[in-house]
Amino acid sequence: MTVGSILTLLGIWVAAIVSPGPDVVQITRQGARSKRAGVWAALGVMTGNAGWILASLLGLSALLTARPALLAWLQLIGGAYLAYLGVSSIRGGLATRRQAARAVHADHPSGPRDSVTPEAPPKRTDADPTAGQAWRAGFTTNLANPKAVLFFGAVFAQFIEPGMSWGITAFIAVLLIAVGLAWFVSFALAVRAFSARIAENSAVIDIVTGAIFCLLAAVMIFEGAVGLLGG
């Protein structure tokens, strides 16, 4: 692989991870809970990406290119899981909004009041996730990420040359993993700079996150079904 090919692959990789998608949405959602959760979710995302990178370098991309039906099945499975994440996220956001409404009703019963005291943002109905829970959220979201499936199954395959030396293979893996790790962890930390605003709108973030996941799930399931039926 030439230096130009490596730089081209790196540019495509940066564009892929920076563009909004399920990984970024999940890190934002976890980061709304705590900085630790956001960072661990970012580490989970990159654990999944590292697996994709290593698997692709070891032949997964070529296998997916040669067997389109396998890619279609991955899209169906990933879409089903994204749908599950989406529904769970929407339910969590709606539960938080209902709790907030009950809290406002309890603190402001009907009848005149002499003064109004500013209210703190409502607490979430779910406790802050543990490091393991946040990591699993990022990891499983990445495995079901349609961008990851398509990127490594189609785009990445174009840069893998038969008979590449182990040195080049290791260099590419380390480069892509390091760049991805730097981006996702930096993004998770940046989310906390807006923690107050995010906390105030955590229920909306959950609902929007769920809607995005459900939309992506529908696209993945449709494309997977078309791939199987067309094959």
Side-chain angles (χ1 to χ4, degrees):
M1 180 177 285
T2 65
V3 174
S5 296
I6 293 176
L7 292 178
T8 301
L9 175 59
L10 180 60
I12 294 174
W13 171 240
V14 170
I17 61 177
V18 170
S19 61
D23 293 340
V24 170
V25 172
Q26 185 66 272
I27 292 172
T28 301
R29 182 172 180 247
Q30 297 298 323
R33 292 159 167 80
S34 70
K35 178 170 66 176
R36 183 185 69 169
V39 171
W40 276 103
L43 294 176
V45 165
M46 271 316 299
T47 302
N49 274 326
W52 282 112
I53 291 169
L54 295 175
S56 296
L57 290 172
L58 294 174
L60 176 63
S61 292
L63 178 62
L64 292 177
T65 301
R67 296 181 178 271
L70 180 57
L71 178 60
W73 277 111
L74 287 176
Q75 288 178 304
L76 287 175
I77 295 170
Y81 184 70
L82 276 184
Y84 165 76
L85 289 180
V87 172
S88 298
S89 184
I90 291 173
R91 290 178 62 184
L94 292 176
T96 300
R97 288 176 67 89
R98 285 194 295 269
Q99 183 195 43
R102 287 195 297 267
V104 170
H105 180 74
D107 292 339
H108 299 279
S110 57
R113 293 191 58 166
D114 295 332
S115 61
V116 177
T117 302
E119 299 294 333
K123 294 183 179 180
R124 299 186 59 87
T125 56
D126 52 339
D128 288 345
T130 64
Q133 290 171 332
W135 179 89
R136 284 194 297 273
F139 178 68
T140 54
T141 297
N142 178 263
L143 292 185
N145 185 350
K147 287 202 311 179
V149 175
L150 296 175
F151 178 82
F152 291 106
V155 179
F156 195 63
Q158 308 305 314
F159 293 88
I160 300 177
E161 301 172 357
M164 265 195 326
S165 69
W166 282 105
I168 293 295
T169 300
F171 173 76
I172 293 173
V174 171
L175 177 63
L176 297 186
I177 291 171
V179 170
L181 188 62
W183 159 249
F184 284 116
V185 172
S186 297
F187 180 81
L189 294 174
V191 166
R192 294 307 299 165
F194 305 96
S195 58
R197 181 64 58 85
I198 290 175
E200 292 173 0
N201 298 281
S202 59
V204 175
I205 290 175
D206 276 352
I207 294 172
V208 172
T209 297
I212 293 173
F213 280 180
C214 287
L215 178 61
L216 290 172
V219 172
M220 284 188 73
I221 291 172
F222 174 77
E223 291 182 348
V226 168
L228 286 177
L229 294 175

